[in-house]
Structure formats: C-alpha cells, structure tokens
Amino acid sequence: SAFAEAACFAETGSGGAPLCAEGELRRVHAGNVREFVEMAATFWLDSGVQRQMVAFRRGVYDVLGRDAAALWAFSAMDLRRLFCGEDEVVWSSKELEEHIHCGGGYSASSDQVRWLREDMFAMPQLLRSKFLEFVTSCPRLPPGGLRELRLSVHPDPAEKIGLP
C-alpha cells in the first residue's frame, strides 16, 4: 500500500515528531518494523508524554497540595473515570428530557427538540460517542452524566431557517 511504502520513523509512521535522528528520512520496512514499533510505543507511552505528565502532577499538587497523596486511595479506573468521564455513554429518555436545555424560542415540547431527543435515545453506543465528540470535542459524558454536560439547543440565527 502507499502508506507502507511511505512509512518513516516518525510519530505516526507518516508524520509527527521524529522517533530518532533524521527519523522522517528513515523508511520502515520488514527488517526494522519491530524497532519502529518499539520506538513509537516508547514515544506514545513514555518520552512523548513525559512533559504532560509532569505538568499534570504539578497541577494536581497545586490544587490539592499535600492532600494529593489521598489520590492513592483511588484505583486507576476510579481516577480515569474522575478525569476522563464515563466509558459508556448511557442516557435515558427521561434524562434527555430533563437535561437538554432549550433557548432561542425552542422549548422542550418543540418538534425539533423532540426529534433530537428521539434520535439521541435511539443511537447505538458508538454513535452516541461520536455525537458527543462532535458537540463537545469529547466522546464521553462527564462524571455525573448528562446532568453535568449542560447540553443546550438553540436555532441557528445566521441561517434564518430555525434549525438547531
């Protein structure tokens, strides 16, 4: 394939940060693919995120001070849920009705809002995640679910056609 022929020792295989000196010039082939995978994994999971991890730790200690040690009481899954939100996008018809806020002339009983709620409720899991990512730039609900998302629907005033 064209990707395989053009792959190089860069972060994604086709671009990004070089994984070694002159990595963007070094081609990946069957003889060095294991080396590429090891270097990419090290970059993605260690050296490439090291600065972000240090900044994250500093931020946690800035906010919590010495109490940051209390985070050790949480499991990795608990912390992931607290910081990243829920893995599964779950909402009920009742939650959609209660937590979608309307404006610009729309109300909870407007046809457009009702259609949106019906479509959102009928969405399979993957589509719910994609919808959230489109609307919020994050494919997950925050801790607390839809109630904490504060999703609001307003007509688009620029279009003058009243679509949400």
Side-chain angles (χ1 to χ4, degrees), residues 124-139:
Q125 178 64 43
L126 181 61
L127 197 52
R128 288 180 179 192
S129 292
K130 287 182 177 186
F131 173 81
L132 285 175
E133 187 164 26
F134 174 75
V135 172
T136 69
S137 300
C138 181

Side-chain angles (χ1 to χ4, degrees), residues 5 8 96-97 101 119 123 159:
E5 290 174 15
C8 64
L96 290 168
E97 194 168 327
H101 306 284
D119 282 351
M123 288 176 181
E159 297 293 326

Side-chain angles (χ1 to χ4, degrees), residues 52-78:
Q52 291 93 330
M53 288 303 300
V54 168
F56 177 76
R57 276 194 200 105
R58 281 192 189 130
V60 168
Y61 278 92
D62 285 350
V63 172
L64 300 176
R66 291 187 325 216
D67 292 333
L71 291 176
W72 288 107
F74 293 97
S75 71
M77 290 304 294
D78 291 336

Side-chain angles (χ1 to χ4, degrees), residues 96-98 100-103 105-115 117:
L96 290 168
E97 194 168 327
E98 291 175 353
I100 293 179
H101 306 284
C102 304
Y106 283 154
S107 70
S109 60
S110 297
D111 285 340
Q112 295 88 339
V113 176
R114 186 175 46 81
W115 296 332
R117 283 194 317 260

Side-chain angles (χ1 to χ4, degrees), residues 22-95:
E22 298 185 351
E24 63 278 355
L25 302 175
R26 187 173 173 203
R27 295 286 163 235
V28 178
H29 52 75
N32 65 12
V33 72
R34 181 179 300 272
E35 181 185 7
F36 167 77
V37 169
E38 288 172 359
M39 290 175 117
T42 298
F43 180 82
W44 293 334
L45 303 173
D46 185 22
S47 62
V49 296
Q50 205 166 39
R51 287 180 38 219
Q52 291 93 330
M53 288 303 300
V54 168
F56 177 76
R57 276 194 200 105
R58 281 192 189 130
V60 168
Y61 278 92
D62 285 350
V63 172
L64 300 176
R66 291 187 325 216
D67 292 333
L71 291 176
W72 288 107
F74 293 97
S75 71
M77 290 304 294
D78 291 336
L79 291 173
R80 182 171 183 245
R81 184 172 168 260
L82 284 169
F83 292 119
C84 300
E86 305 291 341
D87 280 337
E88 193 173 25
V89 180
V90 177
W91 51 53
S92 68
S93 183
K94 181 181 178 195
E95 286 175 310

